[in-house]
Amino acid sequence: MDRILITSAIPYINGIKHLGNLVGSQLPADLFARYMRCRGHEVMFICATDEHGTPAELAAAKAGKQVEEFCTEMHEVQAEIAKGFRLSFDNFGRSSSPQNHVLTQHFAGKLAENGFIREVVEEQVYSPTDGRFLPDRYIEGTCPNCGYDSARGDQCDNCTKQLDPTDLINPYSTESGATDLEVRETKHLHLRQSALKDDLDAWINSKHDWPVLTTSIAKKWLHDGDGLQDRGITRDLDWGVPVKKGTEDWPGMEGKVFYVWFDAPIEYIAATKELTDANGEDDAAWKRWWRLDEGAEDVKYFQFMGKDNVPFHTLSFPATIKGSGEPWKLVDYIKSFNYLNYDGGQFSTSRGRGVFMDQALELLPADYWRWWLLSNAPESSDSEFTWENFQAGVNKDLADVLGNFVSRVTKFCRSKFGEEVPAGGEYTAEEAELIASLTTRIRAYEGHMSAMEVRKSAQELRAIWVAGNEYLQTTAPWSAFKTDPDRAAAITRLSLNLIRLYSVLSAPFIPDASAKMLAAMKTENADWPGDVAEFLAALPAGHAFEVPEVLFAKISDEDREAWQERFAGTRD
RNA sequence: GGCGCGGUAGCUCAGUUGGUUAGAGCGCUCGACUCAUAAUCGAGAGGUCGGGAGUUCAAGUCUCCCCCACGCCA
């Protein structure tokens, strides 16, 4: 039995994520976690909300709430949606947790001790009216280039020219409208990633089995231009982890907090501690996952994320870990994903384009989305969501191939033999052939699942479903029944056992339907198939079952058209 | 403008270190079956692998140039 640590990139607290976000990290991570549990491994599957930073403060203000209150509510919303999609996190934590405060401050302290922190004095725009420093994009003014009067401090939306806030003519705060802005000096901490560059480079180069997407992004950041740059890890904000050197105050850094990208990945560790704390366990319980000197030596650590998160996970977070000089667990494998596009364009949170997680669950059960998204996961390149493809894929794979198989077998049996596994008849060469073919396919499926080859896994699983229909078509028990009822009974007995096989194999993809299939077969035995012939004999003659409700209703053309229309524009 | 990733059947995508007639699913056509959610199974049609040049006994797969789409950065 292996010990498998899995983390999914943590979604930002501000708003509900769209299907592109889901398929880029949480969903494939869940697939892998479920599979590893099915295979009997000890799994720790961690996710959380990323709660700090200006966008959260502003969203809270807009909602007329305190930021803590806002985050608590939004965390609850995201946690509920995650449950709706059957994301099987062992803990869905919060980056604002006390555990993360302590750990983040601890790492910063160690980095400072080891000389990887540099204090830098910068000039930033301060608004006396707002009582705070303003991030570039919360300052607007007239563009010096094109004269557009609502150019942002980082870029002009009209002429696309990149700007500094000080370039703007008649700048004002977008928060208060205040125009009495001034430039003030402020001190910040920078993480000396440049000093760790060679170490990180060697580490990345040793990862020969990582996806090209992952390593190519990391290498670009390492070698592009002047190479890996130091990065500011603090901000002049209220909402965040207060800057401390371990448990000590940090002179000159009063009133400042760590920047989100510094504390967010540390939350992976903190969320594990949140879990064990909640369970009343001691520190050894979480350290055995994260500390090489306290039991994590044999842990295999997998991270899942979209490509936009790769730099933080290949460079920034490892720099934090390595720079600490302490034996923390480093990631063993980074599975990264491209983007899922929506109907010819991008999904967009800010513009509300596409289907969002809460809306998706209003339309259809989780299994529909899980199956389609995973079987079309953007692994090797960006991929595309269209309503036509979604409808066709779901109807064909889930309703016609899998759902209908369950229907035809259980209903045939009920009408000819009653609602129990029929006795009589012998297995022939046809059964031997089916079992041989299934064995090959199941072993291939296991290989793809272990390798996190999501699309290939889905393809193989589908082929296994098809094999059942093929078998029925060839053996035609409805014909055999007329001349040789015993033969028909043998075929039906095997086919009923196939339903249990499909339940077990499909569980990581479509957990709800899987549970329904197992329940219909009136068994709780969901052990993974080793010897297939043996597995298919587990439900013996005389074992009762029931005909389940239709597993997957089809998506009608009317529904599809209505949804297409509804989601054509922006989110209401 | 620089960099990055792509451009393979109507659609969505696979194609290992260059090597026999370029693959899958859907869609389409035809056939079989009638247990089943008008479901299933089989067969077939369909691509000069964005364009051009080159390296090689051999290129979708390597090199160069160009075109197109997307993304990141200045």
Side-chain angles (χ1 to χ4, degrees):
Chain A
M1 186 176 82
D2 292 334
R3 296 176 60 218
I4 311 284
L5 175 62
I6 302 167
T7 61
S8 160
I10 68 177
Y12 197 65
I13 190 70
N14 187 9
I16 291 165
K17 304 301 120 181
H18 54 62
L19 296 180
N21 299 129
L22 178 65
V23 74
S25 54
Q26 293 178 330
L27 198 49
D30 183 68
L31 181 76
F32 189 59
R34 284 177 179 274
Y35 174 69
M36 284 301 172
R37 291 194 197 102
C38 283
R39 300 309 307 276
H41 300 303
E42 185 183 2
V43 170
M44 178 61 77
F45 179 25
I46 293 294
C47 195
T49 38
D50 176 15
E51 305 195 356
H52 296 303
T54 309
E57 285 185 318
L58 296 177
K62 193 174 174 187
K65 291 178 175 153
Q66 292 298 309
V67 65
E68 292 86 346
E69 181 192 359
F70 173 80
C71 286
T72 300
E73 286 179 15
M74 286 307 297
H75 174 82
E76 208 35 54
V77 168
Q78 293 210 21
E80 275 307 305
I81 294 172
K83 274 186 201 146
F85 275 98
R86 306 294 182 257
L87 301 174
S88 60
F89 307 129
D90 288 293
N91 189 36
F92 186 60
R94 303 182 57 182
S95 70
S96 61
S97 70
Q99 288 86 345
N100 196 34
H101 280 228
V102 171
L103 272 165
T104 298
Q105 290 163 346
H106 170 81
F107 273 107
K110 287 293 168 191
L111 287 165
E113 262 177 42
N114 297 330
F116 291 114
I117 298 290
R118 193 158 51 91
E119 298 191 359
V120 178
V121 175
E122 302 170 354
E123 291 194 334
Q124 283 192 7
V125 174
Y126 185 82
S127 167
T129 306
D130 295 293
R132 57 190 279 185
F133 286 93
L134 296 175
D136 293 355
R137 55 186 170 137
Y138 297 114
I139 303 159
E140 288 185 358
T142 301
C143 175
N145 188 48
C146 72
Y148 179 61
D149 64 1
S150 299
R152 292 193 324 218
D154 53 346
Q155 182 178 35
C156 174
D157 283 337
N158 189 50
C159 69
T160 74
K161 185 176 171 58
Q162 304 280 317
L163 302 169
D164 274 326
T166 48
D167 296 336
L168 295 170
I169 301 162
N170 301 325
Y172 58 88
S173 160
T174 60
E175 291 318 292
S176 61
T179 55
D180 56 337
L181 307 182
E182 51 192 68
V183 174
R184 285 193 187 177
E185 287 196 339
T186 177
K187 189 159 77 175
H188 281 295
L189 304 182
H190 283 216
L191 174 59
R192 295 181 56 215
Q193 296 186 139
S194 57
L196 291 157
K197 174 176 172 277
D198 292 343
D199 192 356
L200 291 167
D201 203 8
W203 178 63
I204 296 290
N205 278 324
S206 73
K207 303 299 183 185
H208 304 291
D209 60 335
W210 284 14
V212 178
L213 182 64
T214 304
T215 51
S216 69
I217 292 174
K219 286 177 181 173
K220 180 178 189 300
W221 281 64
L222 278 165
H223 303 299
D224 211 35
D226 297 329
L228 187 61
Q229 301 296 300
D230 295 347
R231 293 201 62 164
I233 58 165
T234 54
R235 287 292 185 272
D236 289 292
L237 288 179
D238 296 326
W239 179 231
V241 177
V243 176
K244 283 195 168 189
K245 198 179 286 184
T247 54
E248 306 296 314
D249 287 340
W250 201 312
M253 298 304 293
E254 295 80 6
K256 298 175 196 283
V257 299
F258 288 106
Y259 185 36
V260 277
W261 78 250
F262 184 71
D263 77 63
I266 295 171
E267 167 64 10
Y268 292 144
I269 306 173
T272 313
K273 178 166 161 56
E274 290 167 37
L275 174 67
T276 57
D277 284 356
N279 290 341
E281 298 174 87
D282 60 17
D283 280 350
W286 64 270
K287 286 184 173 174
R288 65 189 280 273
W289 289 101
W290 288 101
R291 286 290 293 229
L292 300 176
D293 56 340
E294 296 184 54
E297 200 62 69
D298 63 333
V299 168
K300 293 177 182 156
Y301 178 18
F302 300 84
Q303 293 178 339
F304 289 76
M305 70 201 65
K307 59 184 171 188
D308 51 330
N309 265 314
V310 169
F312 301 116
H313 290 80
T314 52
L315 304 169
S316 304
F317 187 40
T320 299
I321 301 249
K322 286 172 176 291
S324 76
E326 296 181 326
W328 295 95
K329 178 69 194 166
L330 264 177
V331 66
D332 292 304
Y333 190 89
I334 296 181
K335 176 74 178 178
S336 56
F337 289 85
N338 286 285
Y339 294 138
L340 179 70
N341 288 318
Y342 178 76
D343 218 1
Q346 290 187 319
F347 273 92
S348 168
T349 303
S350 56
R351 283 178 298 150
R353 185 164 195 281
V355 185
F356 289 74
M357 286 171 73
D358 56 337
Q359 299 170 323
L361 288 177
E362 287 168 19
L363 305 183
L364 292 165
D367 283 350
Y368 287 70
W369 300 105
R370 291 178 61 103
W371 172 255
W372 192 89
L373 290 169
L374 289 169
S375 59
N376 290 278
E379 286 179 299
S380 58
S381 62
D382 290 356
S383 67
E384 175 104 355
F385 175 94
T386 66
W387 287 101
E388 285 86 355
N389 283 336
F390 175 68
Q391 178 195 28
V394 159
N395 284 354
K396 192 70 188 174
D397 298 347
L398 296 182
D400 295 347
V401 175
L402 176 61
N404 183 53
F405 177 82
V406 173
S407 248
R408 64 195 298 205
V409 169
T410 52
K411 288 182 179 172
F412 177 78
C413 186
R414 180 174 62 184
S415 73
K416 306 298 184 197
F417 304 104
E419 280 186 282
E420 62 178 49
V421 178
E426 298 297 323
Y427 288 161
T428 68
E430 285 174 312
E431 283 69 33
E433 200 177 311
L434 173 68
I435 286 166
S437 150
L438 284 174
T439 301
T440 304
R441 288 197 177 283
I442 290 167
R443 299 290 95 92
Y445 178 60
E446 291 166 353
H448 291 141
M449 289 293 271
S450 301
M452 290 158 282
E453 293 274 10
V454 177
R455 295 176 82 125
K456 285 182 183 169
S457 300
Q459 266 176 30
E460 200 60 54
L461 179 58
R462 195 198 122 97
I464 289 169
W465 297 341
V466 167
N469 284 309
E470 205 179 313
Y471 169 71
L472 279 186
Q473 213 59 37
T474 320
T475 54
W478 48 88
S479 299
F481 185 76
K482 296 169 190 162
T483 55
D484 184 358
D486 274 356
R487 175 63 187 146
I491 295 165
T492 305
R493 189 162 65 247
L494 187 75
S495 299
L496 286 164
N497 274 283
L498 279 176
I499 294 174
R500 189 177 78 95
L501 178 71
Y502 293 169
S503 166
V504 173
L505 294 177
S506 309
F509 279 92
I510 44 173
D512 288 349
S514 167
K516 284 183 195 166
M517 284 187 263
L518 206 61
M521 290 303 105
K522 297 196 172 174
T523 176
E524 289 177 3
N525 177 358
D527 294 343
W528 196 261
D531 181 84
V532 177
E534 198 177 299
F535 183 100
L536 293 174
L539 301 180
H543 180 92
F545 72 93
E546 63 189 12
V547 176
E549 295 295 305
V550 165
L551 284 180
F552 298 99
K554 290 208 207 190
I555 298 170
S556 68
D557 291 346
E558 293 70 39
D559 282 341
R560 189 206 71 216
E561 282 160 18
W563 297 338
Q564 223 161 1
E565 177 73 15
R566 176 177 161 192
F567 294 100
T570 54
R571 184 183 178 119
D572 39 14

